[in-house]
């Protein structure tokens, strides 16, 4: 996918959702011409460190770089994509396991597990196993909280998303497409999926900076009740039919629904914004989806809507708290592993991959 040239673009390829971890690491291999480096190792072995070194080296060469952040810890990386080279380096371990289907042609292993001092880790066996058990329990609690929050959100959405509202949004989307999207004569565009945000131990985040880096014209969809998917679907279909590639950004809470849409070739984006996660800049256009909903439904259910939003927000905060506890346990786990990792070997591996990628330019 061709995009404007910028130093670094930040996405997520996975998210913590009500159904557990949801990722788009597997479809990455099917993007045209993609070649993948699959990093294999356990905790504390320098996967994120290696990828940060690779990303920094690429950016210093002036290459467009997509940094793929960890779904639960946005300070860590789960991948680096170099669109200009059709290369990706990803953490291919759980929960986003990727195994080669076309080894040596599309994928190759990078084994950092050999960097462990196995003899030095043996005395820590029980302590390590205990940390891992507690870590997983925190995630299970987070999933339960997000499930409850999503059920409340679905109740609100189903209340307001009437056929009349869907017709209004479809009509508005057609108007936008006629104004903003030129009809193409070539093949249809293609879509890739990236999460723009996620529920993390730092809270609910969205990489709006990525939107601003890729797109100068940003439509803000003011969307308190999760109504935007229908409009975004029409907009994405229209852009694809006109030959434009799109980046589809699902909702972390409802991963089967679109929350944002980026069309870099047109420098055009559509982002959902809510009172709890507002778009921080002045948009090119603002569409108030809440105001398009049935006014009588909103008036009659005002108390219910307010209470449900409050309870849903509290449940998401509980999930964030559980993820923060998981992060603390993971830090403890990495603290146990780190002294028994040969980081010089990790750095040498990073340099070898950097040299290989540079040689392809």
């Amino acid at each position: 996918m061709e995009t404007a040239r910028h130093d670094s673009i930040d996405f997520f390829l996975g998210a913590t959702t009500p159904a557990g971890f949801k990722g788009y690491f597997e479809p990455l291999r099917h993007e045209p011409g993609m070649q993948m480096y699959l990093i294999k190792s356990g905790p504390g072995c320098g996967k994120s460190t290696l990828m940060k070194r690779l990303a920094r080296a690429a950016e210093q060469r002036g290459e467009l770089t997509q940094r793929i952040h960890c779904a639960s810890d946005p300070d860590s990386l789960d991948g680096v994509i170099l669109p200009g080279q059709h290369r990706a380096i990803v953490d291919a371990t759980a929960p986003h396991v990727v195994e080669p289907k076309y080894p040596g042609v599309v994928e190759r292993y990078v084994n950092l597990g050999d960097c462990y001092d196995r003899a030095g880790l043996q005395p820590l066996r029980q302590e390590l196993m205990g940390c891992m058990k507690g870590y997983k329990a925190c995630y299970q609690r987070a999933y339960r909280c997000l499930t409850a929050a999503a059920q409340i959100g679905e109740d609100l959405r189903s209340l307001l998303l009437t056929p009349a509202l869907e017709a209004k949004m479809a009509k508005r989307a057609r108007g936008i497409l006629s104004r903003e999207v030129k009809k193409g004569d070539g093949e249809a565009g293609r879509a890739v999926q990236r999460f723009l945000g996620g529920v993390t131990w730092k809270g609910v985040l969205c990489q709006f900076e990525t939107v601003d880096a890729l797109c100068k014209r940003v439509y803000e969809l003011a969307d308190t009740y999760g109504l935007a998917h229908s409009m975004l679907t029409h907009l994405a279909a229209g852009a694809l039919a006109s030959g434009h590639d799109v980046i589809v950004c699902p909702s972390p809470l409802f991963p089967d629904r679109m929350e944002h849409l980026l069309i870099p070739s047109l420098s055009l984006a559509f982002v959902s914004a809510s009172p709890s996660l507002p778009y921080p800049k002045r948009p090119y256009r603002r569409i108030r989806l809440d105001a398009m909903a049935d006014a009588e439904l909103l008036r009659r259910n005002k108390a219910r809507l307010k209470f449900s939003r409050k309870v849903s927000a509290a449940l998401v905060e509980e999930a964030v708290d559980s993820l923060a506890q998981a992060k603390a346990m993971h830090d403890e786990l990495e603290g146990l592993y780190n002294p028994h990792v040969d980081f010089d070997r990790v750095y040498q591996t990073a340099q070898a991959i950097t040299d290989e990628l540079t040689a392809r330019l």
Side-chain angles (χ1 to χ4, degrees), residues 120-129 336-337 340:
L121 288 170
Q122 289 306 310
L124 303 175
R125 178 186 176 94
Q126 294 304 318
E127 196 172 357
L128 291 169
M129 292 175 71
L336 293 171
Y337 272 109
H340 304 284

Side-chain angles (χ1 to χ4, degrees), residues 145 149 307-321:
C145 290
F307 176 76
S308 295
R309 284 177 55 208
K310 184 177 179 180
V311 173
S312 181
L315 286 163
V316 171
E317 282 303 311
E318 284 296 309
V320 168
D321 183 65

Side-chain angles (χ1 to χ4, degrees), residues 179-195:
R179 184 170 62 250
E180 303 283 8
V181 180
K182 303 285 186 188
K183 292 287 185 182
D185 297 325
E187 297 180 357
R190 63 184 183 83
V192 298
Q193 291 179 302
R194 306 277 192 271
F195 285 102

Side-chain angles (χ1 to χ4, degrees), residues 320-332:
V320 168
D321 183 65
S322 292
L323 293 174
Q325 293 178 40
K327 169 67 164 58
M329 291 181 180
H330 190 264
D331 288 347
E332 183 181 348

Side-chain angles (χ1 to χ4, degrees), residues 52-280:
K52 285 177 179 178
R53 286 193 166 218
L54 293 173
R56 190 160 52 247
E59 289 157 9
Q60 288 171 350
R61 295 193 301 268
E63 283 194 74
L64 172 66
T65 305
Q66 291 185 13
R67 290 183 178 231
I68 304 301
H69 294 264
C70 175
S72 56
D73 182 7
D75 294 331
S76 293
L77 292 186
D78 273 348
V80 176
I81 302 173
L82 305 176
Q85 292 200 45
H86 303 289
R87 299 287 185 273
I89 302 95
V90 301
D91 177 352
T93 58
H96 30 73
V97 175
V98 182
E99 296 295 346
K101 288 186 177 178
Y102 313 103
V105 179
V106 175
E107 313 95 351
R108 58 167 283 193
Y109 276 125
V110 179
N111 182 14
L112 295 186
D114 285 345
C115 300
Y116 283 131
D117 172 12
R118 297 183 63 191
L121 288 170
Q122 289 306 310
L124 303 175
R125 178 186 176 94
Q126 294 304 318
E127 196 172 357
L128 291 169
M129 292 175 71
C131 282
M132 287 188 179
K133 184 177 180 181
Y135 174 73
K136 291 178 181 178
C138 289
Y139 269 94
Q140 291 303 317
R141 183 169 183 272
Y143 298 147
R144 289 193 293 270
C145 290
L146 291 178
T147 296
Q151 288 172 342
I152 292 172
E154 178 59 26
D155 180 61
L156 297 183
R157 181 176 181 269
S158 62
L159 173 68
L160 298 176
L161 192 62
T162 61
L165 175 57
E166 293 205 73
K168 281 184 186 179
M169 290 194 289
K171 182 179 179 180
R172 191 67 178 270
R174 288 194 296 270
I176 293 170
L177 288 168
S178 66
R179 184 170 62 250
E180 303 283 8
V181 180
K182 303 285 186 188
K183 292 287 185 182
D185 297 325
E187 297 180 357
R190 63 184 183 83
V192 298
Q193 291 179 302
R194 306 277 192 271
F195 285 102
L196 196 60
V199 182
T200 79
W201 73 272
K202 286 188 166 185
V204 181
L205 305 180
C206 187
Q207 300 280 7
F208 285 123
E209 297 86 353
T210 290
V211 177
D212 297 327
L214 290 175
C215 305
K216 292 180 180 178
R217 292 176 297 148
V218 178
Y219 277 75
E220 177 190 345
L221 308 181
D223 185 18
T224 304
Y225 304 107
L227 305 172
H229 172 74
S230 296
M231 177 178 279
L232 291 171
T233 299
H234 288 292
L235 292 167
L240 289 167
S242 297
H244 298 283
D245 294 344
V246 304
I247 303 174
V248 171
C249 303
S251 163
L253 209 56
F254 302 96
D256 59 334
R257 295 182 197 152
M258 206 183 315
E259 191 168 53
H260 315 286
L261 175 67
L262 311 183
I263 314 173
S265 62
L266 296 175
S267 197
L268 181 65
F270 301 88
V271 299
S272 300
S274 67
S276 60
L277 200 60
Y279 177 63

